[in-house]
Amino acid sequence: MSHNGTPKAEPASNVYNESCGNEDMSVTSSVITMTVGILSNTLALFIVLKAYRRFRLKSKASFLFFASGLVLTDFLGHVINGTMALYVYASGKHWKNFDPKQVFCEFFGVCMAFFGLSPLLLGSVMAVERCFGVTRPLFHSMALTANRISKLLVLTWLLALLVALLPLLVQRPYQVQGSRSWCFFHMVGTRDWLDILLPMVFSLLGLLALLVSVVCNSVTGFTVLWSRLRREQNHHRHHRSSIHTEMVCQLLAIMIVSLMCWGPLLFKIIILTLQEQGKDEYRQLLLTVRLATWNQILDPWVYILLRKAVLKRLFLLTQGCRSPRPKHTFGWRCSALMSSMETSTSVNSRPEFIHLKDLSLAGTAMKPIGQIL
């Protein structure tokens, strides 16, 4: 009896210690992610708003307006979702104690869906806006006024909010996931066609936004590259081309970050929705969610690093690394030596003696010494 009971107690303690260790790691990673995300988005928001004030009446204003909306969404997502996750950990994940009516879980699920889908939709809207700004500049300046741009930003947020509120509207509330630290769509247990449709709408809409971003950014990139290759333009157009290049680089970076961070989660949701999986699959879902949170961390660094001033400094730094200093120093010394030699030769070429008869002094006559005396 004692021999049979002892092995059962040891695995239980090991599982408890492992779960406690995983929980501590989860809390630590959540705190680090939340802190880094808030600081990064705050700095990026300051940079984008400062640039928007400078380019308010130019073609870059609409892009910076959407960029500020994206950074603000990422900032609020880190603050709200991070605060709720820390509250769940602080409450010991006892949902029945602090959330008996599942109000907190429903709000948590709505925020997860809204702040997850909004950056993808805003990234696609920014890609479409830049595509029209580069390929159809006249239509862009006439159609996208400041009022319409603000309305388009609000409509993008409303579309993401509508998808996030769909489970509540059709009475399919959000569900506490396997790790008991977050809430999302109902994907475990008995499900009907609505439980399958809701996460599919979320995933397919996110994948559609990524596809639109890839297509529009590809068209914009090829157009800017083609315009730079022709090189038959004045200084003003060259300046506009450099601005377009900066924005295209930022859009390409946002697209790559979104594909790397959100692609695994969106495909994982589709796989879990279409077929029932084991517990290991739902643990992988938590890992993909944590990977998706890095999208809101990396997005602001795109605007921090991929700016014209920073890129110009990096270009000058690389040019300085390619041409070492001793070569410039030697060239400078050679040029200085040549200039000094030219100066010396010019001085030596002057006559050493000055003949008095060559001088013509006005109003002055040369007299013998005897007459002077």
Side-chain angles (χ1 to χ4, degrees), residues 131-150:
C131 185
F132 281 108
V134 173
T135 58
R136 298 289 185 271
L138 183 60
F139 173 78
H140 177 270
S141 60
M142 294 178 61
L144 292 181
T145 59
N147 190 17
R148 292 178 180 177
I149 290 173
S150 60

Side-chain angles (χ1 to χ4, degrees), residues 50-294:
K50 184 178 179 181
Y52 176 73
R53 292 176 181 176
R54 188 175 57 192
F55 292 96
R56 179 173 293 182
L57 299 178
K58 298 182 180 181
S59 61
K60 195 178 179 181
S62 56
F63 175 82
L64 293 173
F65 186 79
F66 287 121
S68 61
L70 176 61
V71 175
L72 180 61
T73 304
D74 292 338
F75 174 79
L76 294 177
H78 274 289
V79 173
I80 297 175
N81 291 338
T83 303
M84 288 190 292
L86 293 179
Y87 177 75
V88 172
Y89 282 114
S91 302
K93 300 182 182 179
H94 300 298
W95 290 86
K96 293 182 179 180
N97 295 333
F98 68 87
D99 189 28
K101 297 182 179 180
Q102 296 185 352
V103 177
F104 183 80
C105 181
E106 292 178 357
F107 181 71
F108 199 174
V110 170
C111 292
M112 288 290 293
F114 173 76
F115 290 110
L117 191 58
S118 292
L120 298 177
L121 296 178
L122 287 175
S124 64
V125 170
M126 291 169 62
V128 173
E129 184 271 336
R130 268 304 89 200
C131 185
F132 281 108
V134 173
T135 58
R136 298 289 185 271
L138 183 60
F139 173 78
H140 177 270
S141 60
M142 294 178 61
L144 292 181
T145 59
N147 190 17
R148 292 178 180 177
I149 290 173
S150 60
K151 289 181 179 179
L152 185 58
L153 178 61
V154 173
L155 288 176
T156 306
W157 281 334
L158 289 178
L159 177 59
L161 183 60
L162 178 62
V163 175
L165 292 175
L166 276 179
L168 303 182
L169 297 177
V170 298
Q171 297 181 356
R172 292 295 190 276
Y174 287 94
Q175 183 185 42
V176 180
Q177 300 301 308
S179 62
R180 303 188 62 81
S181 60
W182 61 298
C183 294
F184 207 55
F185 294 99
H186 183 76
M187 294 184 295
V188 181
T190 58
R191 297 175 298 169
D192 55 5
W193 66 274
L194 276 177
D195 295 325
I196 297 175
L197 179 64
L198 293 175
M200 288 291 292
V201 169
F202 176 85
S203 300
L204 293 178
L205 190 58
L207 291 175
L208 179 62
L210 290 177
L211 180 61
V212 171
S213 299
V214 171
V215 173
C216 293
N217 289 331
S218 300
V219 173
T220 306
F222 283 120
T223 305
V224 173
L225 182 62
W226 177 254
S227 64
R228 288 181 67 90
L229 289 176
R230 288 186 294 181
R231 290 295 183 184
E232 294 180 357
Q233 47 196 355
N234 53 24
H235 179 73
H236 178 68
R237 289 183 179 178
H238 178 70
H239 179 67
R240 287 175 61 92
S241 178
S242 63
I243 293 178
H244 289 318
T245 304
E246 178 187 1
M247 291 185 284
V248 169
C249 290
Q250 292 177 353
L251 282 176
L252 290 176
I254 292 173
M255 181 188 68
I256 293 173
V257 169
S258 300
L259 287 173
M260 294 177 60
C261 295
W262 276 99
L265 176 60
L266 296 176
F267 283 109
K268 196 68 179 179
I269 292 174
I270 294 176
I271 294 173
L272 293 176
T273 302
L274 295 178
Q275 54 185 356
E276 186 68 25
Q277 302 291 334
K279 293 182 178 180
D280 294 335
E281 297 292 334
Y282 290 100
R283 290 176 182 175
Q284 295 178 5
L285 178 63
L286 178 61
L287 294 178
T288 55
V289 169
R290 290 177 178 175
L291 178 63
T293 56
W294 279 92

